[in-house]
Amino acid sequence: MHSVTPSHLEELIVALRCLPGVGPKSAQRMAYHLLQRDREGALRLAQALELATNNIQHCSKCNNFSEHEVCSLCASPKRDAGLLCVVEMPADLLMMEQTQCYRGLYYVLMGALSPLDGIGAKELHFDRLVRRVQEHPCEVIMATNFTVEGDATAHYLATLLRPENVKVSRIARGLPVGGELEHVDSGTLAQAVLERREVIS
Amino acid sequence: MHSVTPSHLEELIVALRCLPGVGPKSAQRMAYHLLQRDREGALRLAQALELATNNIQHCSKCNNFSEHEVCSLCASPKRDAGLLCVVEMPADLLMMEQTQCYRGLYYVLMGALSPLDGIGAKELHFDRLVRRVQEHPCEVIMATNFTVEGDATAHYLATLLRPENVKVSRIARGLPVGGELEHVDSGTLAQAVLERREVIS
């Protein structure tokens, strides 16, 4: 029965499964779609995969993806070197940049502590972050996610950084802008009460 | 803000969106995953895309994907040339083969009539199917999906084939209404083939 599927098609279906969240049925559907309706897109994707894989490394300063040894953000003289924001993923860095209120530097962990998935302090290169703070003392802002993993990562890093005697902060928890008390979960509301700030009028 | 994302990474994220069902967030997640955890898989996928795109054509007889002008199934002398099963997609053909009760030939439409998506008789090359039946008269079994599009396709094809004076049948509605061949168990599909009914048009 297998002989009725061309081997290059079979190989494409298998190869597509390296994408996260793509199972055998999705991979088959994608392969058919590309061959039937978008061969141009397939070739473009092939080239993009090769170029990205061969040209993208990690910035030696912030660990974000970069085409150069030091990324453009780390190389910029306009950024405030007294602030270091620690995020989990490059997408989080982009979100921070979109706020247009943060002008410091970043450190991208490329993940969060997750012992069950085999991701520990070593995999996330915490030592590189500590060394960086030792060399250039600055305030460290933990902007990891408010998940169990993100919280654990922030807490563990703060412990590691304690001997360096730098200020370590965590972005605030609370209601989102435009949020209504009626629709927020009780954990968030409890944190918002605990982290309440004085109104200066 | 855009300058913080390497251009090869941006291009990879854009290129990944040619895959069906992949939006901007999924594409980003896929790109990060490949660069961070599976560069080998990315290169393998790049090569598979290129090989498949450059080597896979349509079989001149059954229209299925093939690496040769005539696919191995059409070239096989063991198949019953008196039966021609019309399916929408290659996956449907594989499901038919899995029933192990059908030994005839196939015609793969690579889709179904869908006027809203701009897929008509011309896009599905109905003329090639009709010509094939004119040259080699045989019983035609409509095994398109039991969806609105699949039913319309079967009915339209039956009308086109009426002048040829061949028996045209439809696999039995043993499948649930609205069901797709790809997701049915082979026992039900085998039953549906056995109980096929002549289309009276």
Side-chain angles (χ1 to χ4, degrees):
Chain A
M1 191 214 54
H2 269 280
S3 64
V4 298
T5 302
S7 63
H8 286 310
L9 177 56
E10 262 176 11
E11 164 60 15
L12 175 58
I13 293 171
V14 170
L16 278 165
R17 295 194 53 191
C18 73
L19 299 171
V22 175
K25 288 270 176 189
S26 306
Q28 199 180 51
R29 195 166 48 95
M30 286 174 168
Y32 290 165
H33 171 87
L34 291 176
L35 287 173
Q36 184 63 14
R37 310 221 181 281
D38 198 4
R39 283 177 183 239
E40 213 174 293
L43 286 177
R44 184 183 172 183
L45 176 56
Q47 199 177 28
L49 284 162
E50 216 177 302
L51 278 174
T53 310
N54 292 332
N55 290 298
I56 293 176
Q57 48 182 309
H58 290 278
C59 168
S60 65
K61 292 201 167 182
C62 72
N63 199 39
N64 195 3
F65 293 125
S66 170
E67 275 159 32
H68 308 284
E69 208 228 317
V70 174
C71 76
S72 57
L73 200 150
C74 286
S76 167
K78 290 182 186 159
R79 311 293 304 207
D80 179 358
L83 287 174
L84 184 68
C85 179
V86 177
V87 293
E88 291 182 20
M89 296 300 291
D92 303 331
L93 184 155
L94 288 179
M95 288 303 289
M96 284 292 294
E97 285 296 283
Q98 270 176 35
T99 67
Q100 298 189 334
C101 79
Y102 180 75
R103 302 300 297 161
L105 296 172
Y106 291 95
Y107 193 83
V108 185
L109 294 170
M110 294 288 171
L113 287 175
S114 180
L116 286 179
D117 301 320
I119 301 174
K122 201 179 146 201
E123 283 70 27
L124 296 173
H125 305 290
F126 282 176
D127 51 329
R128 283 171 56 190
L129 174 57
V130 172
R131 214 175 316 126
R132 168 158 174 183
V133 174
Q134 282 170 342
E135 285 163 14
H136 304 283
C138 57
E139 177 180 345
V140 180
I141 303 172
M142 297 293 171
T144 53
N145 290 329
F146 282 107
T147 54
V148 176
E149 292 84 4
D151 276 333
T153 306
H155 189 262
Y156 189 91
L157 269 175
T159 312
L160 278 185
L161 290 171
R162 206 172 338 165
E164 310 313 325
N165 231 2
V166 293
K167 188 174 170 190
V168 177
S169 56
R170 180 92 168 100
I171 55 169
R173 256 174 301 198
L175 271 72
V177 172
E180 296 170 29
L181 262 72
E182 193 186 343
H183 299 116
V184 87
D185 66 284
S186 54
T188 305
L189 191 54
Q191 279 301 328
V193 173
L194 285 173
E195 295 179 18
R196 65 186 179 276
R197 291 169 57 182
E198 197 174 339
V199 177
I200 297 142
S201 52
Chain B
M1 191 210 56
H2 268 280
S3 63
V4 299
T5 302
S7 63
H8 286 311
L9 177 55
E10 262 177 12
E11 164 61 15
L12 175 58
I13 292 171
V14 170
L16 279 165
R17 295 193 55 193
C18 74
L19 299 170
V22 174
K25 288 270 174 191
S26 306
Q28 199 180 51
R29 193 166 50 93
M30 286 173 168
Y32 291 165
H33 172 88
L34 290 177
L35 288 173
Q36 184 64 11
R37 311 223 180 278
D38 198 4
R39 285 178 183 240
E40 213 174 293
L43 286 177
R44 183 183 173 184
L45 177 55
Q47 199 178 28
L49 283 163
E50 215 178 300
L51 279 173
T53 310
N54 293 332
N55 291 298
I56 294 176
Q57 48 182 309
H58 290 277
C59 167
S60 64
K61 291 200 168 182
C62 72
N63 199 39
N64 196 4
F65 292 124
S66 170
E67 275 158 34
H68 308 282
E69 207 229 317
V70 174
C71 75
S72 58
L73 200 150
C74 285
S76 167
K78 289 181 187 161
R79 310 293 305 206
D80 179 357
L83 286 174
L84 184 68
C85 180
V86 178
V87 293
E88 292 180 23
M89 296 299 292
D92 303 332
L93 183 155
L94 288 179
M95 287 301 293
M96 285 292 296
E97 286 297 283
Q98 271 177 36
T99 68
Q100 298 186 337
C101 81
Y102 179 74
R103 301 301 297 161
L105 298 171
Y106 291 95
Y107 193 83
V108 185
L109 295 171
M110 294 288 171
L113 287 176
S114 181
L116 286 178
D117 302 319
I119 301 173
K122 201 181 147 198
E123 283 69 29
L124 296 173
H125 305 290
F126 281 178
D127 50 330
R128 283 170 54 190
L129 174 57
V130 172
R131 213 175 316 126
R132 170 159 173 182
V133 173
Q134 282 170 342
E135 284 163 14
H136 303 283
C138 57
E139 176 179 348
V140 180
I141 303 172
M142 298 292 172
T144 53
N145 290 329
F146 278 106
T147 54
V148 176
E149 292 84 4
D151 274 334
T153 307
H155 191 262
Y156 189 89
L157 269 175
T159 313
L160 278 184
L161 291 171
R162 202 174 346 167
E164 311 312 325
N165 232 358
V166 294
K167 188 174 170 187
V168 178
S169 56
R170 180 90 167 100
I171 56 169
R173 208 170 283 266
L175 279 75
V177 173
E180 297 177 10
L181 260 76
E182 198 182 331
H183 301 112
V184 85
D185 68 285
S186 52
T188 309
L189 191 56
Q191 204 59 34
V193 172
L194 288 173
E195 291 180 13
R196 64 185 183 275
R197 291 165 56 185
E198 195 169 349
V199 175
I200 297 141
S201 53

